[in-house]
């Protein structure tokens, strides 16, 4: 009996050693409550490739550094994040991302329309930034814009000032950029005639829209091509951080449109032939980290976004908050009514109307 017990005990020890060795070499099979480091092929990283809009680059780089410090793992495999900037739907076949992370739902709707992206879940808003006007604080220009903002038709009211170049409005190219498309959505919402006719006057006033949001601000702040631009709020805050003034010493000022539209930065995990289930699970883990109050607070305090996670609140009385620092220059936490983003088909129709109006 003793000999039998010794044999059973020895067999059990050998089995445990064998399972441990296999786990260390290949990684655990299925879900593992403890993330065990592996020394063989099981140590191959699970790569999450994130194709994102470049305007959140600085926050995302900082957040990913913090994520890497946690040494994230999935089933014993390390998670490796690769960032691909300037995301577009057209780049999917070459970049093969795990996550598509544009600036707004407008791009998500267009991806759905083109049948170029399928998502495992409803894309989750991660950061919020309303479309605002950024201008130099010249008193006459501020009064002109405020009068138009109080009118029943903002875009129609400012058109004569665009025609005589009192206002030099800048937007991003609506064919390629979401903030330019947001302008079209807002303009169309107040349009009472043919949409091409509605767009034609504005298109004539903006013969060369900027290629991207950063170029738009450069064209205003450094090249003086515009004296007012339509831009997401967080980029307006970046401009305020420069402490720039115009040739007359006027500081920058932020004005809020009577109806706005949000860049909500939806995080969309793809369901495509090149994305594995492990990559999807790792992408979910990354998303949950980026949605934590700490990382959302980082986006608000240092990079000018409004957090999508309501547990991360902005305190307007906090001297470290941009909403406190720049309150005198118009920055305001209160949001005015928002226009619902249209479908992908409707967006494409607006883009086609803009091209016809140019």
């Amino acid at each position: 009996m003793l000999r039998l017990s010794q044999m059973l005990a020895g067999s059990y020890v050998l089995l445990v050693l064998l399972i441990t060795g296999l786990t260390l070499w290949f990684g655990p099979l299925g879900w593992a409550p403890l993330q065990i480091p592996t020394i063989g092929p099981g140590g191959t990283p699970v790569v999450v490739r994130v194709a994102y809009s470049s305007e959140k680059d600085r926050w995302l780089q900082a957040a990913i550094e913090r994520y890497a410090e946690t040494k994230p793992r999935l089933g014993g495999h390390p998670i490796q994040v690769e960032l691909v900037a300037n995301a577009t739907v057209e780049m999917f076949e070459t970049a093969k991302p795990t996550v598509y992370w544009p600036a707004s739902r407008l791009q998500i709707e267009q991806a759905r329309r083109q049948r170029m992206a399928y998502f495992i879940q409803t894309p989750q808003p991660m950061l919020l930034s309303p479309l605002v006007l950024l201008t130099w604080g010249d008193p006459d220009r501020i009064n002109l814009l405020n009068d138009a903002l109080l009118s029943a038709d903002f875009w129609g009211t400012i058109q004569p000032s665009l025609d005589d170049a009192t206002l030099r409005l800048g937007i991003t190219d609506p064919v390629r950029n979401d903030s330019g498309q947001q302008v079209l959505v807002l303009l169309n919402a107040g349009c009472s005639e043919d949409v091409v006719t509605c767009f034609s006057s504005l298109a004539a006033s903006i013969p060369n829209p900027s290629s991207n949001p950063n170029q738009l601000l450069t064209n205003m702040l450094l090249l003086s091509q515009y004296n007012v631009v339509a831009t997401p709020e967080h980029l307006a805050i970046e401009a305020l951080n420069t402490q720039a003034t115009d040739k007359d010493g006027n500081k920058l000022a932020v004005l809020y449109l009577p109806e706005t539209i949000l860049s909500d930065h939806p995080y969309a995990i793809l369901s495509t032939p090149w994305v594995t289930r492990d990559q999807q699970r790792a992408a979910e883990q990354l998303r949950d980290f980026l949605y934590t109050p700490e990382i959302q607070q980082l986006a608000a305090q240092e990079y000018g976004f409004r957090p999508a996670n309501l547990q991360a609140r902005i305190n307007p009385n906090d001297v470290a908050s941009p909403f406190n620092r720049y309150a005198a220059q118009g920055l305001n936490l209160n949001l005015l009514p928002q226009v619902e983003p249209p479908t992908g088909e409707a967006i494409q129709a607006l883009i086609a109307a803009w091209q016809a109006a140019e």
Side-chain angles (χ1 to χ4, degrees):
M1 180 65 71
L2 178 61
R3 181 176 177 80
L4 178 61
S5 298
Q6 290 174 334
M7 290 176 62
L8 290 173
S11 299
Y12 177 76
V13 170
L14 287 174
L15 180 61
V16 169
L17 290 174
L18 177 62
I19 292 173
T20 301
L22 290 173
T23 299
L24 288 172
W25 187 258
F26 293 105
L29 299 176
W31 178 80
L34 297 177
Q35 301 297 322
I36 303 172
T38 55
I39 58 176
T44 303
V46 179
V47 177
V48 178
R49 186 170 290 112
V50 181
Y52 67 100
S53 61
S54 58
E55 60 195 66
K56 54 179 166 278
D57 181 74
R58 292 173 58 241
W59 166 75
L60 184 55
Q61 295 282 356
I64 293 302
E65 283 185 15
R66 296 193 183 196
Y67 185 61
E69 290 170 0
T70 70
K71 296 183 170 30
R73 304 185 74 84
L74 179 72
H77 297 259
I79 296 174
Q80 177 181 320
V81 180
E82 295 181 357
L83 299 178
V84 182
N86 303 310
T88 64
V89 174
E90 290 73 23
M91 69 189 287
F92 279 10
E93 290 296 333
T94 53
K96 291 185 166 38
T98 314
V99 175
Y100 178 44
W101 198 358
S104 79
R105 269 190 289 167
L106 298 185
Q107 278 69 46
I108 294 292
E109 292 300 328
Q110 290 178 80
R112 284 180 171 142
R113 173 189 174 274
Q114 296 175 42
R115 304 284 198 277
M116 293 191 69
Y118 298 91
F119 312 119
I120 65 170
Q121 302 162 344
T122 300
Q124 179 172 327
M126 298 292 286
L127 304 165
L128 305 178
S129 190
L131 191 72
V132 302
L133 298 177
L134 180 70
T135 187
W136 298 110
D138 172 77
D140 291 337
R141 188 181 305 116
I142 293 292
N143 289 336
L144 187 158
L145 287 168
N146 277 329
D147 288 345
L149 290 168
L150 292 172
S151 71
D153 178 11
F154 168 75
W155 300 100
T157 302
I158 67 169
Q159 190 59 55
S161 297
L162 295 175
D163 293 338
D164 65 17
T166 300
L167 292 179
R168 301 191 308 279
L169 174 66
I171 66 173
T172 58
D173 184 357
V175 178
R176 298 176 181 83
N177 290 275
D178 67 288
S179 61
Q181 292 166 15
Q182 289 175 341
V183 170
L184 299 189
V185 172
L186 295 177
L187 186 58
N188 181 61
C191 181
S192 59
E193 51 191 339
D194 174 73
V195 67
V196 175
T197 303
C198 280
F199 289 174
S200 59
S201 296
L202 184 64
S205 306
I206 311 173
N208 297 300
S210 296
S211 58
N212 60 67
N214 291 324
Q215 186 62 48
L216 178 70
L217 292 179
T218 297
N219 289 344
M220 176 182 172
L221 301 182
L222 299 181
L223 304 180
S224 301
Q225 183 176 342
Y226 313 119
N227 56 23
V228 57
V229 296
T231 184
E233 181 184 60
H234 70 281
L235 293 179
I237 290 173
E238 283 193 16
L240 291 171
N241 286 337
T242 68
Q243 300 294 321
T245 59
D246 66 6
K247 60 182 178 58
D248 298 317
N250 296 304
K251 293 182 177 181
L252 289 165
V254 175
L255 299 171
Y256 288 83
L257 295 159
E259 286 187 312
T260 191
I261 187 168
L262 285 177
S263 294
D264 58 355
H265 296 268
Y267 185 100
I269 302 172
L270 299 186
S271 175
T272 63
W274 62 78
V275 178
T276 68
R277 179 58 189 137
D278 276 352
Q279 287 177 307
Q280 291 170 340
R281 290 168 60 203
E284 290 172 344
Q285 185 173 315
L286 172 62
R287 178 199 60 202
D288 293 345
F289 175 84
L290 296 171
Y291 199 69
T292 59
E294 176 189 356
I295 301 302
Q296 292 273 299
Q297 199 71 46
L298 175 71
Q301 289 292 100
E302 297 190 26
Y303 300 101
F305 291 98
R306 298 175 186 235
N309 186 341
L310 296 181
Q311 294 181 27
R313 297 185 179 276
I314 298 175
N315 179 2
N317 298 318
D318 182 356
V319 294
S321 168
F323 288 91
N324 179 286
R325 294 199 308 272
Y326 303 124
Q329 290 169 258
L331 214 57
N332 193 328
L333 272 174
N334 297 325
L335 276 180
L336 293 170
Q338 299 163 39
V339 173
E340 187 67 20
T343 64
E345 289 76 10
I347 297 165
Q348 285 304 120
L350 293 179
I351 292 172
W354 174 264
Q355 291 174 311
E358 284 184 303

